[in-house]
Amino acid sequence: MQWTLDFLPLPPCPELGAQPLNGLLWALLVLFLWYCYRVGSDPPVTGRTHPGKLKSSCVRSRQMSRSSSCSSTSDGTDAGGSTTKTALGDSGTPCIAMAMGEEEEEEDTDGGRRRGYLTPVLSHTLFPAQAPPASKKLYSALQEYAKRYSWAGMGRIHKGLRDQARLSDRSSIQKPHLFFLPDVPSIPFFPRDAHRHDIEVLEANYPIILAEFQAVYQRGIDTKLGWTCQGPKGQAVFPLYNAGVCVAANCRACPCTYRTLLSLRTFISSNSLGAAGFWLLGPGVTLGGGYGPTNTRLRCHLGLQTPPQCELVVGGEPQCWSDGHCLLVDDSFLHTVSHNGVAEDGPRVIFSVDLWHPNVAAAERQALDYIFSPEQ
């Protein structure tokens, strides 16, 4: 059969005076097609490992070495019905292994198992069995939250619950007694830019907030009227929110102040870490050094009546209040409050509001609302 290449757009070859060598070109074309077929159909060469698989195998080998370091384990069930394990760590300390949900592992395309987001950090980090009961209760609440939603973004919270007992035993200028969130940049006093919107809202409503406080104050300081006396004589609080719970009667007495609270973007109103209200400190009263419950919040002080002899020292840094202006304070640092004025100066009055720390992510705020829910 005569092979022709008339249908191919080959350029003419006037030097040869005829068409090119048809047989040679057809042979090259067939060889090229055969080569493309073999390259596309050959399976991967045995012995080569995909980089992702190599990394996964290395991680799994480290996990096997960690699990082999535990000398003994015993199964148990926590209050939420999830299975946990008590193990002996490298130092012989009893630990509680984190319970894993089925959603933490998913089928990979190659038939293997793939861990969920942040699972390597959480699943093999042991929780100390000798932790205080309060920390164990918070840890159980974190497990319940993760079962309902996800472990994604919970790495810092889990680490903070695990290290809380160790933090309370050391001497430090920052030592929250309830919960410490690690890797959160903290300073005693924060600039206004950290919560500019909320600060501007509070300062813009300063005259209304002051007028409502004066109306409440003129009725007298009495527990029957919604006041709470704390500490030494001369210190009193009129709370609008107390440990995440709205005090309805007090909010009805200060409706404009209550609406101002609701307009704030970062007000902690859904968990026991948050509070808001009027704080009074009488002349000659000094509150000794103390620590706040957590570093996940900033306490905003709006000065209402601030005599000149009042001072707030946080982390060794002194500051003074001023009428109509806000201070952003991280009260997880060691802090003292003093009113060195005379009786004629009257009490120091501030409107205190707890706001979220700007470096606490949205997922962490949602989890903390669940863990520190007033119903917990």
Side-chain angles (χ1 to χ4, degrees):
M1 183 177 66
Q2 182 70 25
W3 295 88
T4 62
L5 293 178
D6 296 338
F7 62 91
L8 295 178
L10 295 175
C13 300
E15 293 82 359
L16 298 176
Q19 289 184 345
L21 300 176
N22 295 342
L24 179 60
L25 291 179
W26 271 110
L28 292 176
L29 181 60
V30 171
L31 289 175
F32 176 74
L33 294 175
W34 175 82
Y35 172 77
C36 293
Y37 170 76
R38 289 299 305 271
V39 171
S41 61
D42 282 348
V45 179
T46 305
R48 293 184 181 179
T49 305
H50 192 272
K53 294 182 179 180
L54 178 61
K55 181 179 180 180
S56 177
S57 63
C58 294
V59 174
R60 291 173 182 171
S61 64
R62 288 197 298 267
Q63 293 173 358
M64 293 177 63
S65 63
R66 288 183 183 179
S67 60
S68 63
S69 64
C70 297
S71 58
S72 64
T73 60
S74 61
D75 294 340
T77 305
D78 62 6
S82 60
T83 302
T84 58
K85 291 183 178 180
T86 304
L88 294 179
D90 296 335
S91 59
T93 303
C95 300
I96 301 175
M98 173 174 287
M100 297 300 299
E102 295 179 357
E103 68 276 3
E104 295 296 330
E105 295 184 353
E106 301 174 358
E107 287 290 341
D108 199 0
T109 55
D110 297 334
R113 305 298 292 180
R114 180 171 60 87
R115 288 185 302 270
Y117 178 66
L118 279 184
T119 305
V121 178
L122 298 174
S123 60
H124 296 278
T125 305
L126 300 179
F127 192 81
Q130 73 277 16
S135 297
K136 293 182 180 179
K137 182 179 179 181
L138 296 177
Y139 176 73
S140 298
L142 175 62
Q143 286 185 314
E144 294 174 3
Y145 173 84
K147 289 177 183 178
R148 290 190 180 188
Y149 302 100
S150 172
W151 282 112
M154 299 299 104
R156 293 198 300 180
I157 295 180
H158 181 268
K159 181 180 178 182
L161 293 176
R162 189 179 70 246
D163 298 339
Q164 183 63 37
R166 189 183 315 165
L167 177 69
S168 60
D169 293 337
R170 71 177 185 180
S171 59
S172 174
I173 196 172
Q174 184 186 25
K175 190 169 60 176
H177 58 79
L178 183 59
F179 175 68
F180 178 78
L181 186 66
D183 304 325
V184 173
S186 297
I187 52 178
F189 294 96
F190 274 70
R192 296 169 56 91
D193 290 339
H195 287 303
R196 177 170 294 276
H197 172 270
D198 291 351
I199 287 179
E200 290 178 351
V201 169
L202 289 171
E203 292 179 350
N205 289 275
Y206 160 72
I208 300 176
I209 297 174
L210 176 61
E212 291 189 339
F213 161 74
Q214 290 175 343
V216 171
Y217 183 68
Q218 290 174 0
R219 293 186 302 177
I221 299 178
D222 192 341
T223 55
K224 297 180 180 179
L225 299 176
W227 288 87
T228 302
C229 298
Q230 298 180 349
K233 185 178 180 180
Q235 183 188 12
V237 180
F238 188 80
L240 302 185
Y241 274 81
N242 186 19
V245 178
C246 176
V247 184
N250 293 356
C251 290
R252 284 194 294 267
C254 305
C256 295
T257 304
Y258 173 68
R259 286 194 293 269
T260 300
L261 280 177
L262 297 183
S263 66
L264 302 180
R265 295 176 179 175
T266 59
F267 172 48
I268 304 177
S269 60
S270 301
N271 67 58
S272 59
L273 301 177
F278 300 104
W279 290 66
L280 274 68
L281 188 66
V285 177
T286 299
L287 302 181
Y291 300 91
T294 180
N295 67 327
T296 61
R297 75 180 190 187
L298 297 181
R299 181 153 278 185
C300 181
H301 291 176
L302 173 64
L304 299 182
Q305 296 178 6
T306 56
Q309 299 299 321
C310 299
E311 187 179 51
L312 171 65
V313 180
V314 181
E317 299 183 15
Q319 287 283 353
C320 295
W321 298 275
S322 60
D323 295 352
H325 296 280
C326 291
L327 281 179
L328 276 180
V329 183
D330 186 348
D331 67 339
S332 64
F333 285 87
L334 181 66
H335 59 276
T336 58
V337 182
S338 60
H339 184 352
N340 299 319
V342 295
E344 290 75 12
D345 293 332
R348 180 232 60 182
V349 183
I350 61 171
F351 182 59
S352 177
V353 184
D354 290 333
L355 308 176
W356 283 110
H357 192 290
N359 292 96
V360 178
E364 294 172 326
R365 296 180 185 183
Q366 181 180 352
L368 292 174
D369 281 342
Y370 184 89
I371 296 172
F372 292 98
S373 172
E375 291 78 15
Q376 290 285 348

